[in-house]
């Protein structure tokens, strides 16, 4: 099974992709996590991506496509959920070319719809583990210790791009660019839009039902 999960920043893509990956044994490939891992490791990709990410702009297509293609080709699994990629039409077309070459058709594109007001509330309260990338919310999904990750006890951080002005800019980028790309999948009958509001488990149930409806 090959799925894409798309939606505005803070819609819950990472939260839902992690749940799905665990329940259905999928490889979770998250473009943002991949870039942040490279920034931490000080690679050429990380150095190139950092200023774009800090501003809330998209990393250039050629850089992003190369990184994700390598990650997909290296994966041990043919079943995966892509979280945060593609975000532009050229990325969507490059992904299609790759999947066709690999003989791995796409099954479903899930778009999580959440209002901008809710996004601002979610991202302002988010804390992220820089080691394992797990996210928490200081109101909706608290860690056992407010400052440490439940999984590995690493100190939690507020992401550099989760400052109010940068969140608003990321939302503009989403509405101006990524939202337009969705027609590409809608035209092929692959797109399912779901309400991303409500309890995490309620959203997970909607995601599950959408997948079952396709099976
Ligand atoms: P990326 O890391 O992908 O960020 P994003 O798309 O902005 O998404 P987020 O990680 O902020 O949110 P999410 O939807 O995963 O929500 P989460 O589950 O954490 O990308 C960062 C940057 O990298 C981009 O700005 C760009 O520069 C670059 N980049 C990445 N991919 C790229 C690409 N393809 N092309 C070019 N550049 C690229 O949830 C958010 C919060 O809400 C958490 O606190 C969570 O606990 C909470 N929450 C989740 N679900 C619920 C719920 N149902 N109710 C209440 N709270 C909830």
């Amino acid at each position: 099974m090959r799925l894409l999960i798309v939606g505005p920043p803070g819609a819950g893509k990472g939260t839902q992709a992690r749940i799905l990956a665990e329940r259905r044994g999928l490889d979770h490939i998250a473009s943002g996590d991949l870039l942040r891992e490279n920034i931490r490791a000080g690679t050429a990709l990380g150095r190139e991506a950092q200023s774009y990410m800090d501003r809330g702009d998209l990393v250039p297509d050629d850089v992003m496509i190369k990184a994700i293609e390598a990650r997909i080709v290296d994966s041990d699994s043919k079943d995966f959920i892509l979280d945060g990629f593609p975000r532009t039409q050229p990325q969507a077309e490059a992904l299609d070319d790759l999947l066709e070459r690999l003989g791995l058709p796409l099954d479903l594109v899930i778009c999580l719809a959440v209002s901008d007001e809710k996004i601002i509330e979610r991202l302002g309260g988010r804390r992220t583990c820089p080691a394992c990338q797990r996210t928490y919310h200081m109101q909706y999904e608290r860690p056992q210790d407010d400052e440490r990750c439940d999984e590995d006890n690493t100190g939690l951080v507020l992401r550099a791009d989760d400052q109010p002005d940068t969140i608003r800019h990321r939302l503009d980028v989403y509405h101006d660019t990524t939202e337009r790309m969705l027609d590409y999948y809608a035209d092929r009958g692959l797109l399912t839009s779901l309400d991303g509001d409500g309890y995490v488990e309620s959203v997970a149930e909607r995601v599950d039902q959408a997948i079952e409806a396709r099976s």
Side-chain angles (χ1 to χ4, degrees):
M1 179 186 292
R2 279 151 306 271
L3 306 171
L4 307 185
I5 189 156
V6 296
K13 302 182 295 295
T15 301
Q16 295 300 328
R18 263 185 288 278
I19 292 173
L20 260 183
E22 201 178 301
R23 292 185 182 165
R24 293 184 178 253
L26 306 175
D27 187 6
H28 175 198
I29 302 177
S31 52
D33 291 352
L34 179 69
L35 295 171
R36 282 183 289 277
E37 279 157 20
N38 275 273
I39 289 174
R40 267 203 314 284
T43 67
L45 169 63
R47 286 195 298 278
E48 185 158 12
Q50 177 140 38
S51 61
Y52 294 98
M53 294 176 77
D54 287 349
R55 289 195 304 270
D57 284 327
L58 294 180
V59 172
D61 282 336
D62 56 335
V63 175
M64 202 65 239
I65 289 168
K66 205 166 135 200
I68 290 287
E69 283 193 353
R71 174 68 179 77
I72 291 174
V73 169
D74 282 353
S75 177
D76 291 333
S77 172
K78 302 290 173 224
D79 300 306
F80 51 77
I81 178 157
L82 266 177
D83 157 12
F85 183 95
R87 290 191 199 214
T88 66
Q89 183 78 18
Q91 291 183 13
E93 289 169 8
L95 179 65
D96 267 359
D97 287 348
L98 176 71
L99 296 183
E100 200 179 319
R101 283 203 304 276
L102 297 174
L104 301 173
L106 204 55
D107 295 297
L108 184 62
V109 179
I110 295 166
C111 179
L112 295 179
V114 178
S115 70
D116 287 6
E117 294 69 35
K118 186 63 102 181
I119 296 289
I120 290 164
E121 184 194 340
R122 281 191 186 177
L123 291 182
R126 174 165 66 181
R127 297 295 179 273
T128 304
C129 171
C132 73
Q133 308 277 347
R134 181 168 168 189
T135 55
Y136 300 87
H137 191 279
M138 298 319 286
Q139 186 180 347
Y140 305 122
E141 211 191 346
R142 291 184 88 110
Q144 283 159 21
D145 171 336
D146 276 358
E147 296 186 355
R148 307 229 146 245
C149 177
D150 292 352
E151 310 290 337
D152 50 33
N153 211 34
T154 304
L156 299 174
V157 297
L158 179 68
R159 261 169 50 178
D161 58 351
D162 280 348
Q163 304 297 334
D165 286 351
T166 319
I167 294 171
R168 283 177 207 284
H169 181 60
R170 286 160 63 202
L171 278 167
D172 289 343
V173 170
Y174 176 77
H175 293 308
D176 291 345
T177 307
T178 307
E179 229 167 34
R180 290 191 195 160
M181 177 202 75
L182 297 178
D183 287 343
Y184 181 74
Y185 293 111
D187 290 347
R188 290 155 60 197
L190 283 171
L191 182 69
T192 297
S193 284
L194 299 177
D195 182 4
D197 202 358
Y199 292 113
V200 169
E201 192 48 47
S202 310
V203 180
E205 271 171 36
R206 282 172 220 147
V207 170
D208 224 46
Q209 283 164 7
I211 294 172
E212 289 307 320
R214 284 283 163 151
S215 315

